[in-house]
Amino acid sequence: MSKPKTTITWRISATLLCYTLFTVLLLWAFQIMFLNKYYNIMQKTSIENAGGKIIASIARGSDDFESELEQICFSHGMCCLILDENEQELYSIDMMGRNCMIHSPAKYSMSGQLLKVLSGEEQEYVARLRDKHFKTEALVYAHAVTNQNGERMVVVLNAALEPLGSTSEILKSQLKIISAVLVICALLISNFAAKKLSQPIRKITEKAKRLAKGDYTADYDGGGIMETDELAETLNFSAQGLSKVEELRRELVANVSHDLKTPLTMIKAYAEMIRDLTGDDKVKRDEQLEVIVSEADRLTALVSDLIRISRDEDSERIFRSESFDIAEMISDICKRFASTNPDYKITVTGECKNAVVTADRESIAQVLYNFISNAINYTGENKSVSVLLEETDSEIKVSVKDSGKGISDEELPLIWERYYRSRNTHQRPVAGSGLGLSIVRGLLTKQNLRFGASSEQGAGSCFWFCLPKKTQ
Ligand code: ADP
């Protein structure tokens, strides 16, 4: 079951409102509902604390007990009576006047309880007493204690319990105002925050719709919020990528149609020549048939590249780890290129003591074919290509160099991209799909082999890769 959809504004408002209501509820609970209970607990804790201090002082035999007692009573706002075993008053402090009930225990029917504490029947007594005449209430505390001389006495304390009715009424009316203000503020803040948040998202969504329709020009702005900024950045990046792919796609279609058309025209022209002109001249016919076959080969190579890329065949390819002599492989491949390109000077330089390497043989041959055929295609007027072998303790580095126009610094990182073809080189009748180097990159990367290209404009380019030597 899909979740019901809600807007950001609604969610933020609901969350903030819930939080505000919870805060208001908490305020009402503590300030109104539990106010009395809370006050009584506080007073009881306070009277017990004061009692504890006085008892400790008696038990300790304090030298200045009387002033200590006064201070305790004053700081806690209580009155105090200390009686001996015979109910005789030892100390009396009254700072509450008529609110003090312990100075006439009989009147408040507490003498019975006091006697129990005095006689030791009970250790402590805490009670809430009410003055019917003045309609006041007080908390009374009595605790027995024995001083250092072994004399037993009782500490009696009285704390007033103020009526909280009027305080609670004041708080109630204040809380009503506070609650209303809090709810209104919550609604205003949530509305403002939601607008601030949803605005960039809305704008991004609008522009993303244009992106879906193929408009890659939109510039996304996250509105200074980290998450939306990240989203905008991702979309900007995607738009750039998509527009690049689109540009490359257009270029590819143009290139491929051009490259398909050239050999097709040649094939047609030569086939017509054989049909209409050459007739039974075997030598000429064979020459022309040779052209048709080589043009058909070009077409086949181009179509194979396209099929390979479209199926992404290399991603499923299994790379074998085989040992083979790379110098031998290079020499074989160069011989083949030399026989099909007799005008070109293809040389192999560099001596290796041990040229046996470990890698996937077929894919390395493919890489060499690509590098050498590119070098032949782009080498220019002097038609020379050289393959250099360099040996270290653990590796053999193979470099394919040409002496063509070279590649500009800006283009150098792009040539490995799928479908990329230099604008400079495409002016020349070089057949290609812009896929060769991207296939090479895939083959070498998947085998974790180092590779790269360097170029100097006007002086030529060098494409290289390194192979690990076979470990003995
Ligand atoms: P293509 O089929 O176009 O040769 P590649 O992927 O093999 O495709 O090469 C991509 C582009 O890199 C080429 O179009 C060309 O512009 C550039 N390039 C590759 N090799 C060389 C080279 N040896 N010299 C100059 N440019 C090169």
Side-chain angles (χ1 to χ4, degrees), residues 368 371-372 375 385-388 398-402 461-465:
L368 278 168
F371 281 176
I372 298 173
V385 169
S386 70
V387 183
L388 175 67
V398 181
S399 312
V400 179
K401 295 181 178 177
D402 63 66
S461 314
C462 169
F463 285 79
W464 59 267
F465 63 96

Side-chain angles (χ1 to χ4, degrees), residues 107-123:
K107 191 173 158 196
Y108 300 105
S109 61
M110 58 183 269
S111 34
Q113 294 295 334
L114 265 182
L115 283 174
K116 276 187 188 169
V117 179
L118 273 171
S119 64
E121 204 176 310
E122 271 178 29
Q123 182 67 13

Side-chain angles (χ1 to χ4, degrees), residues 226-337:
M226 211 164 85
E227 286 83 354
T228 46
D229 272 351
E230 257 173 45
L231 176 66
E233 221 170 273
T234 313
L235 280 167
N236 276 328
F237 187 68
S238 313
Q240 276 168 19
L242 284 171
S243 90
K244 206 169 124 198
V245 167
E246 179 59 19
E247 196 185 317
L248 290 173
R249 188 189 64 80
R250 275 203 212 109
E251 265 180 31
L252 174 75
V253 173
N255 292 347
V256 169
S257 355
H258 165 264
D259 296 335
L260 285 174
K261 211 173 155 211
T262 318
L264 277 175
T265 317
M266 298 267 275
I267 290 171
K268 190 168 176 250
Y270 277 83
E272 280 170 352
M273 256 197 267
I274 294 169
R275 188 189 63 193
D276 303 333
L277 302 173
T278 324
D280 290 336
D281 186 340
K282 189 175 178 311
V283 181
K284 269 196 176 169
R285 197 182 58 209
D286 283 353
E287 257 175 38
Q288 287 159 350
L289 279 172
E290 198 49 53
V291 175
I292 292 178
V293 170
S294 86
E295 289 305 316
D297 283 347
R298 277 175 72 182
L299 275 180
T300 314
L302 181 62
V303 172
S304 316
D305 272 1
L306 288 170
I307 293 173
R308 181 188 288 278
I309 280 290
S310 69
R311 283 196 197 147
D312 211 0
E313 270 179 13
D314 292 328
S315 64
E316 287 151 26
R317 182 172 180 154
I318 295 162
F319 291 93
R320 279 181 296 204
S321 182
E322 298 158 289
S323 298
F324 58 93
D325 191 314
I326 185 70
E328 264 174 32
M329 180 187 268
I330 291 172
S331 148
D332 280 354
I333 293 176
C334 286
K335 269 183 205 151
R336 255 178 266 166
F337 271 107

Side-chain angles (χ1 to χ4, degrees), residues 374 378 402 407 415 420-422 425 432-437 461 463:
N374 272 350
Y378 300 109
D402 63 66
I407 308 161
I415 55 173
Y420 186 83
R421 298 199 70 201
S422 163
T425 47
S433 54
L435 298 175
L437 289 182
S461 314
F463 285 79

Side-chain angles (χ1 to χ4, degrees), residues 70-131:
E70 258 175 26
Q71 213 173 352
I72 294 168
C73 290
F74 181 74
S75 65
H76 286 265
M78 294 170 189
C79 63
C80 173
L81 198 63
I82 297 181
L83 306 171
D84 66 10
E85 265 171 319
N86 308 317
E87 285 184 64
Q88 292 307 305
E89 220 176 87
L90 296 174
Y91 300 95
S92 165
I93 291 170
D94 183 1
M95 40 183 57
M96 294 168 67
R98 64 182 171 80
N99 277 340
C100 189
M101 300 182 184
I102 54 176
H103 284 90
S104 45
K107 191 173 158 196
Y108 300 105
S109 61
M110 58 183 269
S111 34
Q113 294 295 334
L114 265 182
L115 283 174
K116 276 187 188 169
V117 179
L118 273 171
S119 64
E121 204 176 310
E122 271 178 29
Q123 182 67 13
E124 192 182 86
Y125 157 69
V126 183
R128 196 185 163 112
L129 299 179
R130 190 174 162 79
D131 185 324

Side-chain angles (χ1 to χ4, degrees), residues 402-409 412 454-462:
D402 63 66
S403 46
K405 267 192 186 173
I407 308 161
S408 68
D409 287 348
L412 205 55
S454 58
S455 188
E456 201 182 314
Q457 283 212 288
S461 314
C462 169

Side-chain angles (χ1 to χ4, degrees), residues 19-29 175 178-180 182-183:
Y19 175 72
T20 311
L21 290 178
F22 175 72
T23 314
V24 168
L25 215 73
L26 218 65
L27 278 173
W28 277 84
L175 270 179
I178 292 174
S179 307
L182 279 178
V183 170

